[in-house]
Amino acid sequence: MPRPSGRLTKEDLDPLVKDAGEGNPAAIHSLLQMIEPVVVRYCRARMGGRDLSYLSADDVAQEVCLAVLKALPDYQDRGGSFLYLVHAIAANKVADAYRAVARDRSEPVPELPERPLVAGNEPESHALHLDLGARLGRLLASLPRVQQEILTLRIAVGFSAQETAEALGISAGNVRVTQHRALTRLRGMIRDEEF
């Protein structure tokens, strides 16, 4: 099981990954319990605040977990972290979700709903949340891809620098430096009102 701090380590994952790859149901269950919260946080961070019609971040996270299970029998440990594979699958599934929404040609209907709106779900607050999400999305989109991924994993998902490094296949020092540069750049953009 994970360390008391709740962080996933290579030492925690490797035995489970090996046993799960060999088809051990208990290992598969334990592995899914360990990675599922991380995958959900990642998908929510990458998709949250955006109106993606019928697709939810939790649905995409479920697809990620299924894809990880499908990849387990063929996974070979080459000295890296299993989280690198999980991150790659999650990034691809999120991109697939955005592509699917882009292909959706349905049009919303102009009629009001038959039931009253739930408190806190007024059109004005919904519009403000969408605007904030869009503005934050534009800010993040202005950063290089690796900075976007590091900020997502470190801030939204809650990974440590070491876990982020393992997931991205870079050093922990590189993660810290890149995160610092990304946050400095974002602060400058906000100060200069470029967004």
Side-chain angles (χ1 to χ4, degrees):
M1 294 305 293
R3 294 179 296 167
S5 68
R7 301 293 184 189
L8 298 177
T9 64
K10 184 169 174 46
E11 294 78 28
D12 295 330
L13 287 173
D14 282 351
L16 276 177
V17 170
K18 183 178 181 297
D19 289 346
E22 294 171 355
N24 180 339
I28 291 170
H29 180 73
S30 296
L31 181 64
L32 279 178
Q33 281 188 319
M34 290 176 78
I35 67 168
E36 190 257 346
V38 172
V39 170
V40 168
R41 283 193 314 261
Y42 177 82
C43 291
R44 287 179 181 170
R46 297 295 293 175
M47 297 175 67
R50 295 185 181 95
D51 188 7
L52 294 182
S53 96
Y54 60 88
L55 284 178
S56 76
D58 292 346
D59 291 337
V60 174
Q62 185 176 8
E63 288 182 27
V64 171
C65 289
L66 288 172
V68 168
L69 283 179
K70 189 175 179 181
L72 266 175
D74 297 327
Y75 176 73
Q76 295 177 355
D77 185 7
R78 295 188 175 114
S81 172
F82 181 70
L83 288 175
Y84 185 82
L85 173 68
V86 173
H87 172 263
I89 291 172
N92 286 332
K93 291 294 183 182
V94 168
D96 290 346
Y98 279 113
R99 282 191 289 273
V101 169
R103 288 189 301 267
D104 183 15
R105 299 288 185 215
S106 63
E107 294 185 24
V109 293
E111 293 115 21
L112 292 174
E114 302 250 344
R115 55 193 159 127
L117 295 172
V118 179
N121 192 22
E122 294 85 22
E124 181 182 6
S125 66
H126 182 69
L128 289 173
H129 286 297
L130 284 177
D131 179 58
L132 177 61
R135 289 171 39 200
L136 290 173
R138 283 194 304 272
L139 275 173
L140 281 176
S142 69
L143 296 175
R145 185 76 179 155
V146 71
Q147 289 181 353
Q148 291 176 31
E149 291 296 327
I150 286 173
L151 289 180
T152 300
L153 291 172
R154 292 279 285 143
I155 295 170
V157 176
F159 271 9
S160 67
Q162 185 60 41
E163 289 169 323
T164 303
E166 289 176 4
L168 297 177
I170 58 177
S171 71
N174 193 355
V175 167
R176 289 183 191 96
V177 169
T178 304
Q179 177 184 350
H180 175 73
R181 288 178 180 162
L183 291 174
T184 301
R185 184 171 176 190
L186 288 175
R187 282 186 202 104
M189 290 169 60
I190 291 170
R191 194 174 330 121
D192 297 339
E193 298 182 57
E194 290 180 19
F195 71 103

